Structures are given as C-alpha cells and as structure tokens.
Amino acid sequence: MDILNECGLLGCKPAAFPIDQNHQLALANGPAFEDPTRYRRIVGRLVYLTITRPELSYAVRTLSQFLQHPLQEHYDAALRVLRYIKGNPGQGLLLRSNCDLLLRAYCDSDWASCPITRRSITGYFVTLGDSPISWKSKKQHTISRSSAEAEYRSMAAATAEILWLKGFLKDIGVDH
C-alpha cells in the first residue's frame, strides 16, 4: 500500500492481471519517460515485492529490462502492475508448518519469446509439501533451435535447483 500511496494510485481502478499476455514492451518506440529515476524506484520496490508475490515475477522481470532507458509505455506497464496489486492486496505466500517434505517441481519454457533476441524464457516453480520455496523466470543464455530444446533447458534448470535444494535440506538435517 505504501508503493500505491507514493505513486498516487490509492484511488485507481484495480487491474485483473499484472501484464498483458501478448505485450510488445520490447518493441516499444514511443517517447522516453521524463523521470527514469522514478521508474527505477518503482521497479526496484516491485523486485522486493516478488519475494512474497511470485505471480509478479514475470511482469517485474520484463519491466526490469528497461531500467536504462524507460519509455512512457514501460512506465504505464509498471503502473498496471501497481493497479493489479491494489486489486489483490492480501495475496502472498503461505508457508505451512506441517508438510510431507516432498519436493515437487514444475517447469515450462516460452520458446523464442523475446522479439529482439529470439531467446526463450525458462520458468520453474518448486514446492516443499504444499509450500512454494523456489521459483524463477529468466531468459535462456542461448537461442534454442526448437521448442523441445527450450523445454529441455528449462527442465535442466529445474533439476539443478532441486539438486541444490536436496543438498541444502541435507545440510540442515532434513534427510530427503
């Protein structure tokens, strides 16, 4: 609510989702935003918010690509994320104290989704029991030749995360 108050959006109309599904922010070519520091501050605060609000991760990752030279369209997209937060202020993560200690991972990729570099996006989500403990959405380092290759890269990233988490659990005395 502090972020909304700072941006003067306490009385705004809430948005149903944080970012358009088929956005073209990477191809935007409108006027530059007059106060890039303000844009950077909003995106920085949103990055902090993704710790407890994983549904914002994709939108914030997308917005953070334009920190050097934000356009008015990028600022408008950041305000849309804030309008989404206004409509869903009580959402967050629930970490349960009783769980079966079973690690589950879900992964996916979006093949060649960056319109500029044609790189794919890897995404995964890991739970311990019913509690989410790790998630990631990131552009892949190399260009995949097919959607299957992009999916394998996504599975490899999720597998590496699971292996790290298993080692971490073992280090703290949780035999898995």
Side-chain angles (χ1 to χ4, degrees):
M1 297 309 278
D2 291 340
I3 302 171
L4 293 171
N5 188 26
E6 180 182 314
C7 295
L9 294 176
L10 284 177
C12 71
K13 181 180 176 183
F17 44 90
I19 196 167
D20 287 328
Q21 184 176 5
N22 295 317
H23 65 83
Q24 297 292 321
L25 292 175
L27 300 175
N29 58 1
F33 183 59
E34 69 273 359
D35 189 5
T37 304
R38 184 173 184 190
Y39 178 80
R40 291 179 192 122
R41 179 167 171 77
I42 291 171
V43 173
R45 294 186 84 181
L46 288 172
V47 167
Y48 176 75
L49 200 56
T50 60
I51 295 169
T52 57
R53 303 278 304 259
E55 82 274 15
L56 300 176
S57 294
Y58 175 76
V60 173
R61 180 198 63 81
T62 301
L63 294 173
S64 67
Q65 295 178 41
F66 312 108
L67 292 175
Q68 291 297 322
H69 185 67
L71 303 178
Q72 183 64 41
E73 190 173 342
H74 302 142
Y75 180 71
D76 294 341
L79 292 182
R80 182 188 181 97
V81 174
L82 294 177
R83 289 182 30 236
Y84 169 79
I85 292 168
K86 183 182 189 298
N88 304 288
Q91 283 191 341
L93 295 178
L94 175 63
L95 300 175
R96 301 185 187 280
S97 61
N98 57 347
C99 68
D100 57 6
L101 297 180
L102 181 63
L103 281 172
R104 291 181 187 90
Y106 306 91
C107 64
D108 195 13
S109 71
D110 192 1
W111 181 55
S113 63
C114 179
I116 297 172
T117 62
R118 303 305 296 163
R119 291 192 295 171
S120 305
I121 295 176
T122 288
Y124 63 78
F125 187 78
V126 182
T127 63
L128 181 63
D130 291 330
S131 301
I133 59 170
S134 180
W135 56 88
K136 187 174 195 174
S137 173
K138 183 178 178 181
K139 277 188 189 176
Q140 294 179 358
H141 295 290
T142 58
I143 298 173
S144 299
R145 294 181 189 157
S146 67
S147 60
E149 183 179 346
E151 294 287 346
Y152 282 125
R153 290 181 197 279
S154 180
M155 285 188 280
T159 302
E161 182 71 6
I162 290 172
L163 291 173
W164 183 87
L165 286 168
K166 285 184 71 162
F168 176 73
L169 289 172
K170 186 176 181 180
D171 287 348
I172 62 173
V174 178
D175 195 26
H176 195 273

